[in-house]
Amino acid sequence: MKMNKYSLNLFDCPSIEEIMKKLDNIQTQLLLTNLDEEGKLSCLKAFKVARLIGMKPRDMAKIAKNMNIEITNCELGVFGKLKFSDMHDDIYNSLKRNTKDNKKVECEIAWKEAQNKGATLKKVGSTIKNSDIKVTHCQLGCFYDEEYESFENKT
């Protein structure tokens, strides 16, 4: 079955109204104090904020969009302006073993690869950015499949 941006299973995703009702003033301030100088929220900071405000990371794209905040600088190179170095063969080979059809890896698996290899997210991101591997299922909810979506930051 060919997947597209409409194929996302939303059975367990709360509505933005339900999410925003849960945010109090302190949680909102925690989010706002983690914005960069351009008023954007980086990928890494979005994970931090989710933990601080007690939300699931996958809800961060909805929260940011509702607050007109852009999530930027994906650590895996899907969007943003981060600079990446060269591909790392050992990371590439390990990622290939964990990919669907040997070319797609879920965001969470790529993050775990960084932990398992003792590598940094930057090295994993550099490897993905400079290879034929594509990222799917953003943990923050920013995208489902970068190959089937012409990616515009949806936040």
Side-chain angles (χ1 to χ4, degrees), residues 95-142:
L95 285 170
K96 283 290 262 189
R97 287 190 293 274
N98 289 306
T99 60
K100 297 176 182 177
D101 302 324
N102 281 342
K103 68 177 184 174
K104 292 183 182 181
V105 65
E106 291 184 16
C107 174
E108 184 176 9
I109 299 216
W111 277 62
K112 285 180 181 176
E113 181 68 20
Q115 293 171 336
N116 294 339
K117 290 285 185 190
T120 62
L121 277 171
K122 194 79 158 178
K123 286 183 180 178
V124 173
S126 293
T127 299
I128 290 170
K129 189 75 173 171
N130 292 299
S131 73
D132 57 347
I133 295 174
K134 300 292 182 199
V135 180
T136 65
H137 300 85
C138 173
Q139 295 179 85
L140 297 173
C142 295

Side-chain angles (χ1 to χ4, degrees), residues 24-35 41 45 48-49 51-54:
D24 62 24
N25 288 338
I26 293 170
Q27 291 168 312
T28 301
Q29 284 305 310
L30 282 169
L31 190 151
L32 295 174
T33 58
N34 279 280
L35 300 180
L41 186 64
K45 291 271 183 137
K48 173 185 172 186
V49 168
R51 188 178 66 252
L52 289 172
I53 67 175

Side-chain angles (χ1 to χ4, degrees), residues 32-98:
L32 295 174
T33 58
N34 279 280
L35 300 180
D36 66 16
E37 60 279 350
E38 296 175 2
K40 298 178 182 181
L41 186 64
S42 74
C43 171
L44 279 180
K45 291 271 183 137
F47 277 96
K48 173 185 172 186
V49 168
R51 188 178 66 252
L52 289 172
I53 67 175
M55 293 289 177
K56 293 179 180 175
R58 74 169 180 239
D59 294 331
M60 289 308 297
K62 289 179 185 177
I63 292 168
K65 183 175 185 175
N66 189 63
M67 296 176 73
N68 294 316
I69 296 169
E70 182 181 341
I71 295 178
T72 189
N73 294 333
C74 169
E75 291 294 313
L76 300 176
V78 178
F79 57 88
K81 298 178 182 176
L82 292 179
K83 304 267 188 259
F84 291 94
S85 61
D86 296 329
M87 183 173 80
H88 299 267
D89 290 334
D90 59 328
I91 294 172
Y92 176 80
N93 292 331
S94 183
L95 285 170
K96 283 290 262 189
R97 287 190 293 274
N98 289 306

Side-chain angles (χ1 to χ4, degrees), residues 1-4 7 148:
M1 178 173 126
K2 186 172 182 176
M3 302 295 286
N4 62 38
S7 301
Y148 292 113

